[in-house]
PDB file of all heavy atoms in Angstrom:
ATOM      1  N   PHE I  42     123.257  41.330  79.203  1.00 97.00           N
ATOM      2  CA  PHE I  42     124.578  41.570  79.800  1.00 97.00           C
ATOM      3  C   PHE I  42     124.827  40.637  80.961  1.00 97.00           C
ATOM      4  O   PHE I  42     125.937  40.209  81.233  1.00 97.00           O
ATOM      5  CB  PHE I  42     124.635  43.019  80.298  1.00 97.00           C
ATOM      6  CG  PHE I  42     126.019  43.381  80.810  1.00 97.00           C
ATOM      7  CD1 PHE I  42     127.101  43.500  79.923  1.00 97.00           C
ATOM      8  CD2 PHE I  42     126.234  43.606  82.172  1.00 97.00           C
ATOM      9  CE1 PHE I  42     128.354  43.806  80.478  1.00 97.00           C
ATOM     10  CE2 PHE I  42     127.464  43.876  82.743  1.00 97.00           C
ATOM     11  CZ  PHE I  42     128.491  43.996  81.814  1.00 97.00           C
ATOM     12  N   HIS I  91     128.647  49.708  83.023  1.00 97.00           N
ATOM     13  CA  HIS I  91     129.729  48.696  83.053  1.00 97.00           C
ATOM     14  C   HIS I  91     130.665  48.978  81.835  1.00 97.00           C
ATOM     15  O   HIS I  91     130.250  49.085  80.768  1.00 97.00           O
ATOM     16  CB  HIS I  91     129.231  47.248  82.826  1.00 97.00           C
ATOM     17  CG  HIS I  91     129.067  46.645  84.221  1.00 97.00           C
ATOM     18  ND1 HIS I  91     130.053  45.944  84.830  1.00 97.00           N
ATOM     19  CD2 HIS I  91     128.032  46.732  85.164  1.00 97.00           C
ATOM     20  CE1 HIS I  91     129.654  45.492  86.012  1.00 97.00           C
ATOM     21  NE2 HIS I  91     128.456  46.020  86.249  1.00 97.00           N
ATOM     22  N   ALA I  92     131.971  49.062  82.193  1.00 97.00           N
ATOM     23  CA  ALA I  92     132.974  49.324  81.136  1.00 97.00           C
ATOM     24  C   ALA I  92     132.873  48.269  80.024  1.00 97.00           C
ATOM     25  O   ALA I  92     133.044  48.615  78.834  1.00 97.00           O
ATOM     26  CB  ALA I  92     134.309  49.213  81.813  1.00 97.00           C
ATOM     27  N   GLU I  93     132.542  47.006  80.366  1.00 96.00           N
ATOM     28  CA  GLU I  93     132.536  45.945  79.376  1.00 96.00           C
ATOM     29  C   GLU I  93     131.288  46.032  78.457  1.00 96.00           C
ATOM     30  O   GLU I  93     131.260  45.368  77.385  1.00 96.00           O
ATOM     31  CB  GLU I  93     132.439  44.551  80.139  1.00 96.00           C
ATOM     32  CG  GLU I  93     133.521  44.314  81.235  1.00 96.00           C
ATOM     33  CD  GLU I  93     133.102  44.902  82.576  1.00 96.00           C
ATOM     34  OE1 GLU I  93     132.026  45.484  82.730  1.00 96.00           O
ATOM     35  OE2 GLU I  93     133.919  44.845  83.504  1.00 96.00           O
ATOM     36  N   ALA I  94     130.281  46.844  78.874  1.00 92.00           N
ATOM     37  CA  ALA I  94     129.041  46.880  78.060  1.00 92.00           C
ATOM     38  C   ALA I  94     129.121  48.147  77.074  1.00 92.00           C
ATOM     39  O   ALA I  94     128.280  48.271  76.226  1.00 92.00           O
ATOM     40  CB  ALA I  94     127.865  47.054  78.946  1.00 92.00           C
ATOM     41  N   LEU I 114     131.562  54.193  86.875  1.00 98.00           N
ATOM     42  CA  LEU I 114     132.105  53.154  85.918  1.00 98.00           C
ATOM     43  C   LEU I 114     132.372  51.851  86.712  1.00 98.00           C
ATOM     44  O   LEU I 114     133.191  51.833  87.657  1.00 98.00           O
ATOM     45  CB  LEU I 114     133.410  53.656  85.252  1.00 98.00           C
ATOM     46  CG  LEU I 114     133.964  52.848  84.070  1.00 98.00           C
ATOM     47  CD1 LEU I 114     132.963  52.708  82.927  1.00 98.00           C
ATOM     48  CD2 LEU I 114     135.258  53.308  83.553  1.00 98.00           C
ATOM     49  N   ALA I 115     131.719  50.812  86.275  1.00 98.00           N
ATOM     50  CA  ALA I 115     131.810  49.519  87.016  1.00 98.00           C
ATOM     51  C   ALA I 115     132.683  48.491  86.206  1.00 98.00           C
ATOM     52  O   ALA I 115     132.646  48.560  85.046  1.00 98.00           O
ATOM     53  CB  ALA I 115     130.375  48.918  87.127  1.00 98.00           C
ATOM     54  N   LEU I 116     133.360  47.705  86.986  1.00 98.00           N
ATOM     55  CA  LEU I 116     134.264  46.689  86.474  1.00 98.00           C
ATOM     56  C   LEU I 116     133.864  45.311  86.998  1.00 98.00           C
ATOM     57  O   LEU I 116     133.811  45.105  88.226  1.00 98.00           O
ATOM     58  CB  LEU I 116     135.718  46.964  86.819  1.00 98.00           C
ATOM     59  CG  LEU I 116     136.483  47.814  85.812  1.00 98.00           C
ATOM     60  CD1 LEU I 116     135.970  49.137  85.597  1.00 98.00           C
ATOM     61  CD2 LEU I 116     137.966  47.884  86.334  1.00 98.00           C
ATOM     62  N   LYS I 117     133.666  44.383  86.051  1.00 98.00           N
ATOM     63  CA  LYS I 117     133.439  43.013  86.467  1.00 98.00           C
ATOM     64  C   LYS I 117     134.705  42.418  87.042  1.00 98.00           C
ATOM     65  O   LYS I 117     135.827  42.918  86.781  1.00 98.00           O
ATOM     66  CB  LYS I 117     133.032  42.159  85.192  1.00 98.00           C
ATOM     67  CG  LYS I 117     131.638  42.441  84.742  1.00 98.00           C
ATOM     68  CD  LYS I 117     131.346  41.931  83.354  1.00 98.00           C
ATOM     69  CE  LYS I 117     131.201  40.501  83.219  1.00 98.00           C
ATOM     70  NZ  LYS I 117     130.622  40.090  81.967  1.00 98.00           N
ATOM     71  N   PRO I 118     134.555  41.299  87.785  1.00 98.00           N
ATOM     72  CA  PRO I 118     135.858  40.744  88.379  1.00 98.00           C
ATOM     73  C   PRO I 118     136.965  40.404  87.443  1.00 98.00           C
ATOM     74  O   PRO I 118     138.159  40.586  87.772  1.00 98.00           O
ATOM     75  CB  PRO I 118     135.308  39.429  88.990  1.00 98.00           C
ATOM     76  CG  PRO I 118     133.889  39.727  89.312  1.00 98.00           C
ATOM     77  CD  PRO I 118     133.415  40.592  88.203  1.00 98.00           C
ATOM     78  N   SER I 119     136.644  40.172  86.164  1.00 98.00           N
ATOM     79  CA  SER I 119     137.770  39.819  85.191  1.00 98.00           C
ATOM     80  C   SER I 119     138.437  41.080  84.610  1.00 98.00           C
ATOM     81  O   SER I 119     139.375  40.935  83.944  1.00 98.00           O
ATOM     82  CB  SER I 119     137.258  38.917  84.123  1.00 98.00           C
ATOM     83  OG  SER I 119     136.168  39.506  83.464  1.00 98.00           O
ATOM     84  N   SER I 120     137.802  42.282  84.797  1.00 98.00           N
ATOM     85  CA  SER I 120     138.354  43.485  84.170  1.00 98.00           C
ATOM     86  C   SER I 120     139.423  44.112  85.091  1.00 98.00           C
ATOM     87  O   SER I 120     139.296  44.142  86.255  1.00 98.00           O
ATOM     88  CB  SER I 120     137.246  44.458  83.907  1.00 98.00           C
ATOM     89  OG  SER I 120     136.286  43.919  83.056  1.00 98.00           O
ATOM     90  N   LYS I 121     140.399  44.677  84.372  1.00 98.00           N
ATOM     91  CA  LYS I 121     141.498  45.246  85.148  1.00 98.00           C
ATOM     92  C   LYS I 121     141.309  46.772  85.192  1.00 98.00           C
ATOM     93  O   LYS I 121     141.022  47.415  84.183  1.00 98.00           O
ATOM     94  CB  LYS I 121     142.875  45.072  84.409  1.00 98.00           C
ATOM     95  CG  LYS I 121     143.363  43.615  84.445  1.00 98.00           C
ATOM     96  CD  LYS I 121     144.797  43.564  83.920  1.00 98.00           C
ATOM     97  CE  LYS I 121     145.482  42.278  84.054  1.00 98.00           C
ATOM     98  NZ  LYS I 121     144.919  41.341  82.974  1.00 98.00           N
ATOM     99  N   ILE I 122     141.544  47.410  86.364  1.00 98.00           N
ATOM    100  CA  ILE I 122     141.423  48.853  86.496  1.00 98.00           C
ATOM    101  C   ILE I 122     142.395  49.556  85.579  1.00 98.00           C
ATOM    102  O   ILE I 122     142.103  50.597  85.020  1.00 98.00           O
ATOM    103  CB  ILE I 122     141.508  49.285  87.982  1.00 98.00           C
ATOM    104  CG1 ILE I 122     141.180  50.809  88.087  1.00 98.00           C
ATOM    105  CG2 ILE I 122     142.807  48.958  88.639  1.00 98.00           C
ATOM    106  CD1 ILE I 122     139.815  51.259  87.762  1.00 98.00           C
ATOM    107  N   GLU I 123     143.487  49.015  85.432  1.00 98.00           N
ATOM    108  CA  GLU I 123     144.584  49.669  84.586  1.00 98.00           C
ATOM    109  C   GLU I 123     144.062  49.994  83.188  1.00 98.00           C
ATOM    110  O   GLU I 123     144.485  50.884  82.479  1.00 98.00           O
ATOM    111  CB  GLU I 123     145.892  48.795  84.520  1.00 98.00           C
ATOM    112  CG  GLU I 123     146.595  48.660  85.869  1.00 98.00           C
ATOM    113  CD  GLU I 123     146.079  47.417  86.613  1.00 98.00           C
ATOM    114  OE1 GLU I 123     144.896  47.014  86.470  1.00 98.00           O
ATOM    115  OE2 GLU I 123     146.839  46.783  87.343  1.00 98.00           O
ATOM    116  N   ASP I 124     143.245  49.055  82.665  1.00 97.00           N
ATOM    117  CA  ASP I 124     142.734  49.202  81.306  1.00 97.00           C
ATOM    118  C   ASP I 124     141.733  50.314  81.174  1.00 97.00           C
ATOM    119  O   ASP I 124     141.335  50.672  80.051  1.00 97.00           O
ATOM    120  CB  ASP I 124     142.094  47.892  80.840  1.00 97.00           C
ATOM    121  CG  ASP I 124     143.060  46.794  80.742  1.00 97.00           C
ATOM    122  OD1 ASP I 124     144.260  47.051  80.570  1.00 97.00           O
ATOM    123  OD2 ASP I 124     142.672  45.530  80.685  1.00 97.00           O
ATOM    124  N   TYR I 125     141.161  50.893  82.294  1.00 98.00           N
ATOM    125  CA  TYR I 125     140.188  51.895  82.248  1.00 98.00           C
ATOM    126  C   TYR I 125     140.511  53.213  82.920  1.00 98.00           C
ATOM    127  O   TYR I 125     139.733  54.124  83.032  1.00 98.00           O
ATOM    128  CB  TYR I 125     138.816  51.263  82.788  1.00 98.00           C
ATOM    129  CG  TYR I 125     138.410  50.113  82.010  1.00 98.00           C
ATOM    130  CD1 TYR I 125     138.628  48.825  82.450  1.00 98.00           C
ATOM    131  CD2 TYR I 125     137.781  50.288  80.769  1.00 98.00           C
ATOM    132  CE1 TYR I 125     138.157  47.708  81.666  1.00 98.00           C
ATOM    133  CE2 TYR I 125     137.339  49.236  79.965  1.00 98.00           C
ATOM    134  CZ  TYR I 125     137.586  47.970  80.480  1.00 98.00           C
ATOM    135  OH  TYR I 125     137.173  46.932  79.711  1.00 98.00           O
ATOM    136  N   LEU I 136     133.085  51.538  90.461  1.00 98.00           N
ATOM    137  CA  LEU I 136     132.464  50.386  91.225  1.00 98.00           C
ATOM    138  C   LEU I 136     133.254  49.165  90.848  1.00 98.00           C
ATOM    139  O   LEU I 136     133.364  48.652  89.712  1.00 98.00           O
ATOM    140  CB  LEU I 136     131.018  50.260  90.713  1.00 98.00           C
ATOM    141  CG  LEU I 136     130.333  48.888  91.021  1.00 98.00           C
ATOM    142  CD1 LEU I 136     130.399  48.488  92.468  1.00 98.00           C
ATOM    143  CD2 LEU I 136     128.802  48.966  90.588  1.00 98.00           C
ATOM    144  N   ILE I 137     133.918  48.590  91.863  1.00 99.00           N
ATOM    145  CA  ILE I 137     134.612  47.324  91.757  1.00 99.00           C
ATOM    146  C   ILE I 137     133.679  46.190  92.167  1.00 99.00           C
ATOM    147  O   ILE I 137     133.242  46.121  93.385  1.00 99.00           O
ATOM    148  CB  ILE I 137     135.913  47.263  92.551  1.00 99.00           C
ATOM    149  CG1 ILE I 137     136.825  48.493  92.143  1.00 99.00           C
ATOM    150  CG2 ILE I 137     136.647  45.990  92.397  1.00 99.00           C
ATOM    151  CD1 ILE I 137     137.256  48.565  90.689  1.00 99.00           C
ATOM    152  N   MET I 138     133.244  45.351  91.332  1.00 99.00           N
ATOM    153  CA  MET I 138     132.358  44.221  91.613  1.00 99.00           C
ATOM    154  C   MET I 138     133.110  43.201  92.425  1.00 99.00           C
ATOM    155  O   MET I 138     134.217  42.761  92.010  1.00 99.00           O
ATOM    156  CB  MET I 138     131.822  43.510  90.331  1.00 99.00           C
ATOM    157  CG  MET I 138     130.778  44.391  89.570  1.00 99.00           C
ATOM    158  SD  MET I 138     129.331  45.016  90.450  1.00 99.00           S
ATOM    159  CE  MET I 138     128.642  43.408  90.971  1.00 99.00           C
ATOM    160  N   GLU I 141     130.389  38.108  90.654  1.00 98.00           N
ATOM    161  CA  GLU I 141     130.028  38.242  89.226  1.00 98.00           C
ATOM    162  C   GLU I 141     128.686  38.872  89.184  1.00 98.00           C
ATOM    163  O   GLU I 141     127.762  38.492  89.876  1.00 98.00           O
ATOM    164  CB  GLU I 141     129.940  36.879  88.558  1.00 98.00           C
ATOM    165  CG  GLU I 141     131.214  36.218  88.098  1.00 98.00           C
ATOM    166  CD  GLU I 141     132.020  37.052  87.176  1.00 98.00           C
ATOM    167  OE1 GLU I 141     131.465  37.895  86.436  1.00 98.00           O
ATOM    168  OE2 GLU I 141     133.244  36.905  87.191  1.00 98.00           O
ATOM    169  N   PRO I 142     128.453  39.954  88.418  1.00 98.00           N
ATOM    170  CA  PRO I 142     127.210  40.614  88.432  1.00 98.00           C
ATOM    171  C   PRO I 142     126.027  39.695  87.977  1.00 98.00           C
ATOM    172  O   PRO I 142     126.245  38.868  87.162  1.00 98.00           O
ATOM    173  CB  PRO I 142     127.396  41.841  87.413  1.00 98.00           C
ATOM    174  CG  PRO I 142     128.634  41.495  86.666  1.00 98.00           C
ATOM    175  CD  PRO I 142     129.481  40.582  87.572  1.00 98.00           C
ATOM    176  N   MET I 150     134.187  38.140  97.021  1.00 98.00           N
ATOM    177  CA  MET I 150     135.416  37.699  96.422  1.00 98.00           C
ATOM    178  C   MET I 150     136.632  38.505  97.045  1.00 98.00           C
ATOM    179  O   MET I 150     136.918  39.626  96.618  1.00 98.00           O
ATOM    180  CB  MET I 150     135.430  37.930  94.884  1.00 98.00           C
ATOM    181  CG  MET I 150     134.365  37.081  94.119  1.00 98.00           C
ATOM    182  SD  MET I 150     134.158  37.555  92.433  1.00 98.00           S
ATOM    183  CE  MET I 150     135.699  36.856  91.729  1.00 98.00           C
ATOM    184  N   MET I 153     139.409  40.301  95.088  1.00 98.00           N
ATOM    185  CA  MET I 153     139.248  41.574  94.411  1.00 98.00           C
ATOM    186  C   MET I 153     139.832  42.729  95.200  1.00 98.00           C
ATOM    187  O   MET I 153     139.937  43.894  94.717  1.00 98.00           O
ATOM    188  CB  MET I 153     137.707  41.845  94.270  1.00 98.00           C
ATOM    189  CG  MET I 153     137.041  40.970  93.192  1.00 98.00           C
ATOM    190  SD  MET I 153     137.810  41.264  91.551  1.00 98.00           S
ATOM    191  CE  MET I 153     138.402  39.657  91.249  1.00 98.00           C
ATOM    192  N   LYS I 156     142.526  44.762  93.580  1.00 98.00           N
ATOM    193  CA  LYS I 156     142.000  45.711  92.548  1.00 98.00           C
ATOM    194  C   LYS I 156     141.457  46.958  93.285  1.00 98.00           C
ATOM    195  O   LYS I 156     141.565  48.099  92.756  1.00 98.00           O
ATOM    196  CB  LYS I 156     140.949  45.093  91.708  1.00 98.00           C
ATOM    197  CG  LYS I 156     140.423  45.941  90.573  1.00 98.00           C
ATOM    198  CD  LYS I 156     139.847  45.191  89.417  1.00 98.00           C
ATOM    199  CE  LYS I 156     138.653  44.354  89.694  1.00 98.00           C
ATOM    200  NZ  LYS I 156     137.971  43.882  88.503  1.00 98.00           N
ATOM    201  N   VAL I 157     140.793  46.781  94.406  1.00 98.00           N
ATOM    202  CA  VAL I 157     140.265  47.955  95.149  1.00 98.00           C
ATOM    203  C   VAL I 157     141.431  48.883  95.546  1.00 98.00           C
ATOM    204  O   VAL I 157     141.431  50.076  95.440  1.00 98.00           O
ATOM    205  CB  VAL I 157     139.455  47.484  96.342  1.00 98.00           C
ATOM    206  CG1 VAL I 157     139.055  48.641  97.247  1.00 98.00           C
ATOM    207  CG2 VAL I 157     138.218  46.716  95.924  1.00 98.00           C
ATOM    208  N   LYS I 159     144.384  49.022  94.194  1.00 98.00           N
ATOM    209  CA  LYS I 159     144.989  49.665  93.045  1.00 98.00           C
ATOM    210  C   LYS I 159     144.106  50.827  92.605  1.00 98.00           C
ATOM    211  O   LYS I 159     144.595  51.922  92.180  1.00 98.00           O
ATOM    212  CB  LYS I 159     145.092  48.694  91.880  1.00 98.00           C
ATOM    213  CG  LYS I 159     146.266  47.826  91.913  1.00 98.00           C
ATOM    214  CD  LYS I 159     146.387  46.994  90.593  1.00 98.00           C
ATOM    215  CE  LYS I 159     147.512  45.987  90.720  1.00 98.00           C
ATOM    216  NZ  LYS I 159     147.209  44.713  90.062  1.00 98.00           N
ATOM    217  N   THR I 160     142.841  50.677  92.676  1.00 98.00           N
ATOM    218  CA  THR I 160     141.936  51.741  92.232  1.00 98.00           C
ATOM    219  C   THR I 160     142.031  52.932  93.199  1.00 98.00           C
ATOM    220  O   THR I 160     142.136  54.131  92.770  1.00 98.00           O
ATOM    221  CB  THR I 160     140.448  51.196  92.188  1.00 98.00           C
ATOM    222  OG1 THR I 160     140.452  50.088  91.429  1.00 98.00           O
ATOM    223  CG2 THR I 160     139.539  52.298  91.639  1.00 98.00           C
TER     224      THR I 160
END
Side-chain angles (χ1 to χ4, degrees):
F42 183 72
H91 266 268
E93 308 85 1
L114 188 62
L116 266 60
K117 286 164 75 163
S119 58
S120 298
K121 291 193 174 73
I122 185 64
E123 297 89 328
D124 292 341
Y125 298 101
L136 164 52
I137 304 301
M138 290 302 299
E141 281 301 335
M150 296 170 75
M153 288 299 116
K156 183 156 62 169
V157 173
K159 275 188 190 144
T160 309

